Structure formats: structure tokens, C-alpha cells
Amino acid sequence: MTAPKLLSPATIGEFDLPNRVVMAPLTRNRARPDSNVPHALNAEYYAQRASAGLIITEATQITPEGKGYAWTPGIHSAEQIGGWRQVTDAVHAQGGRIVLQLWHVGRISHTSLQPDGQAPVAPSAIAADAHTFDGEGFVQTSTPRALATDEIARVVDDYRQAARNARQAGFDGVEVHAANGYVLDQFLRDGSNTRDDRYGGSIENRVRILREVFEAVTDVWPAGRVGVRFSPFAGFNDMHDRTPMQTFGAAISAASAAGLAYLHLVEGQTGGPRDLPEGGDLDALRARFDGAYMANNGYDRQLAVDAVESGHADLVAFGRPYIANPDLVERFARNAELNAPDQATFYGGGAEGYTDYPTLAESQAA
Ligand code: 8OZ
């Protein structure tokens, strides 16, 4: 039996990957509480998963303002850069590759998580019917204030600086998080963007900040080391758009024009059903992009093998399976059983449910 193409090497932009199995970005809320600094436990967790073709880190805030949940890591302080350096060194020592996911939450935050207890910022002052975790429990997100037109250049610069910081921290590249209802997604969709300046109204205007972020990030990184993630049909975090095919078609064209290495899509509802709404067409969206396509959402081994074999995807990102299976690639190679993830330890805590899932070899020795 020959190995499935899923397990074969791929050159994606400037990335040389030994296989097409990607560790999806996974929020785990285990950075240091006050400083949001990654530490040795996080390095161990990522290094355990180094046989992935590519690791995408958990979403990482580019500024204090970009933070929306307790205990998520940042990439805006010297200490955070140092913490991430421990992570990248540990992954590289195990022969892996790791990119940092650049995150600004926009309105998905709470005043208690913002500098000086201020209101979160967003394209428009429209509260999301959504919840965040403030360190004690789930709270309704706060009503944001709309960014002034002349503040947007500063937000774009925050992406540029975070991209620089990611280089300094030793990453192999970066992924721009434009999915799941965070700030770039908020600008893209008409349910959260009612601006009447050059960043709102027409689709071209709603895509403008994204283009500027791509320019800023590719000033710092070769475009072949940059990817982007969208969730065109997901309603998570109270997202709505009247014309998702047109909106995301334009956003994906912008990513293609920027020469990015890969397009990463959440297919269907984030962490939920893979169904698409009427008129939703992944192939049509994908056709707008010249680089590689990374598929995500609810994939298992067989679905992924078929997706790569049929040409639907070049890469497949796995979330929950990677929480519970550090050696997912080896398990796929042997078509072995997978450990089941424990939802109770997804967010927050220590080593339990984080670095203590056994490899196949460890299970068999036990
Ligand atoms: C789950 C919990 C908190 C944040 C995303 C960064 O949806 C997240 C996230 C997921 O992209």
C-alpha cells in the first residue's frame, strides 16, 4: 500500500513541508496570566507536535488592544518575543516548522481586558451578541467604539510591528487571522461594518484594511511565508454578510494579489457543521487564489486523504485531533486509532489535557 498524498511532501510558497497535515490554530489560554508571555509548558506542547507538516500557533494578539480573552499570548512585548523564542527553538530542535497567527479581536473583548478599562475598538460601534472569557467566567462582549479613519493606519502598523516581532522570535512565517468574527472579519462583513469612509460601504472599501495589512506584513516577510485564514460562511461571534461570495471573493483576490503562500478556509461553521449556505461555493472562492489551499473544519483522516487526492486541498488543518494526538502524523501513517480530546481542558489550566496526551508508542508501552 502506498502512502496517501496527504502524507507526502509539499512546497508551499517558501515553505518546504514534509507532509500536508497542518496543526490548526487553537486557543488554549495557557500563557502567563498578567504578561501574556508564552513559557516552557507552551514550548513543550508545540514541540510534541513538531511532526506536523506545519504548525500554526494559537491566535496571538498584536497589541494590548487586540486582546479579547484571558491568558491568550501576545507578540507585542520583549518578554513575549522571548517566550515565543523558547517555543520556536523547541519546535525547530524537533525538526518542525511553525508560523505565528496574528490576531486583533476588535469588538470581541470586554472592557476588563482592555488597556485602562476602555471600550474595545471596531469598524463600527455595533455590539456583538457574543461572549468572551475574562478569567473568571463567560461575559457578554462590550459595546465597541468605532475607530476614527486616521486611527486605522496605526492598527495596520501594529500588524507590521507584530510581524517584525515574529521574525525576531524565530518563526518560519505568519498567518493573518481574518476569520471568526475578529477585527479584519468585522471590517469585511456588512453586519459589523457600517462605516461611510473609505473603509466601509462598498466591498472594495471593506477589503481595504486587509490589503493594507497584507502590504504591511509582506514588507517584513516574503509573501511566500505568509498565509491568511477566512471563515466566509461562519456565523460565530455574531457575524453576518449579505453577499459572502462577493465579499470573500474580493478578500481572497486581495490575498492572491499580495502573493500569499496559502489560503486557509474554515469550511462551514467554525467548529461545527461543514454545511454551506445556499449559493456558498468553496471551489469558486478557491479559484480566486493563485497559491495553495488549506482546508479546515471537521476533517478526519479519510476526508483529508480524499480532499488531497481529489485536488480539493493542498493541505488540511486539524484542530481537535491535534489537541489529543501529538503524533497525529504517525497515527495517520499507520491508520491508528486516535485519542479523544477532553473538552473540559481545552481552555485554561496547566499540563493536564495539554501536554499529557500519550503518543501511540507511549499508549502501547503502558
Ligand atoms: C475559541 C476560543 C477563543 C478564541 C478563533 C481565536 O475562533 C479563536 C478562538 C477560539 O479563531
Side-chain angles (χ1 to χ4, degrees), residues 2 24 31 42 50 58 93 102 150 159 185 208 244 248 259 283 286 317 319 325 344:
T2 56
N42 310 126
E58 64 209 275
L102 300 173
D150 64 6
Y159 278 92
D185 201 14
R208 188 178 310 280
F248 286 93
D283 290 333
R286 210 208 125 154
N325 297 278

Side-chain angles (χ1 to χ4, degrees), residues 21-356:
V21 176
V22 174
M23 179 178 171
L26 292 161
T27 290
R28 305 301 308 276
N29 310 74
R30 282 167 170 88
R32 291 212 187 285
D34 297 323
S35 56
N36 307 121
V37 170
H39 50 103
L41 182 68
N42 310 126
E44 182 186 352
Y45 161 77
Y46 283 111
Q48 287 175 338
R49 289 156 178 76
S51 62
L54 183 67
I55 294 172
I56 304 167
T57 69
E58 64 209 275
T60 298
Q61 55 258 7
I62 60 169
T63 51
E65 170 195 279
K67 175 178 169 176
Y69 303 80
W71 317 323
T72 54
I75 187 71
H76 51 81
S77 76
E79 233 189 322
Q80 291 162 353
I81 296 169
W84 279 119
R85 174 53 88 166
Q86 280 186 64
V87 172
T88 61
D89 282 349
V91 168
H92 292 150
Q94 292 301 313
R97 296 135 302 276
I98 182 167
V99 300
L100 181 75
Q101 198 193 45
L102 300 173
W103 192 30
H104 185 310
V105 297
R107 68 180 181 171
I108 304 300
S109 188
H110 188 264
T111 52
S112 65
L113 295 161
Q114 288 289 308
D116 307 319
Q118 294 190 14
V121 300
S124 300
I126 303 170
D129 182 8
H131 291 84
T132 181
F133 179 71
D134 69 357
E136 284 173 17
F138 288 91
V139 291
Q140 185 79 32
T141 52
S142 304
T143 300
R145 78 172 173 86
L147 285 158
T149 306
D150 64 6
E151 280 182 286
I152 292 178
R154 194 264 305 154
V155 173
V156 171
D157 263 337
D158 291 339
Y159 278 92
R160 187 189 323 268
Q161 185 59 47
R164 271 194 211 112
N165 295 350
R167 284 201 83 126
Q168 209 188 324
F171 283 99
D172 297 295
V174 291
E175 177 176 286
V176 174
H177 191 351
N180 296 346
Y182 301 110
V183 82
L184 296 174
D185 201 14
Q186 289 160 31
F187 271 92
L188 287 174
R189 297 204 233 185
D190 61 16
S192 43
N193 182 348
T194 57
R195 301 178 71 90
D196 57 10
D197 64 358
R198 64 183 192 279
Y199 293 97
S202 67
I203 289 175
E204 273 314 288
N205 281 353
R206 284 185 269 130
V207 172
R208 188 178 310 280
I209 187 173
L210 186 72
R211 281 184 202 284
E212 293 175 351
V213 167
F214 291 154
E215 270 177 37
V217 170
T218 58
D219 267 357
V220 177
W221 285 93
R225 292 188 172 273
V226 179
V228 62
R229 189 181 215 216
F230 298 107
S231 52
F233 307 111
F236 180 60
N237 279 330
D238 198 16
M239 294 306 286
H240 308 274
D241 190 75
R242 277 175 293 191
T243 59
M245 286 301 294
Q246 287 81 352
T247 300
F248 286 93
I252 291 166
S253 290
S256 193
L260 302 198
Y262 69 83
L263 168 69
H264 180 183
L265 296 186
V266 179
E267 300 179 340
Q269 298 299 325
T270 306
R274 293 180 42 75
D275 309 282
L276 303 180
E278 210 184 307
D281 182 345
L282 293 170
D283 290 333
L285 289 180
R286 210 208 125 154
R288 310 272 299 240
F289 190 71
D290 284 335
Y293 178 58
M294 183 187 294
N296 171 249
N297 209 26
Y299 277 85
D300 62 14
R301 182 184 187 278
Q302 195 57 52
L303 206 52
V305 164
D306 294 346
V308 173
E309 222 66 61
S310 72
H312 172 68
D314 301 294
L315 304 165
V316 181
F318 296 87
R320 276 175 268 207
Y322 251 119
I323 291 181
N325 297 278
D327 58 341
L328 190 64
V329 170
E330 292 75 16
R331 287 175 189 258
F332 281 168
R334 291 160 179 252
N335 206 0
E337 267 199 58
L338 303 187
N339 298 321
D342 171 20
Q343 191 127 17
T345 51
F346 280 5
Y347 307 114
E352 191 196 344
Y354 189 55
T355 51
D356 62 356

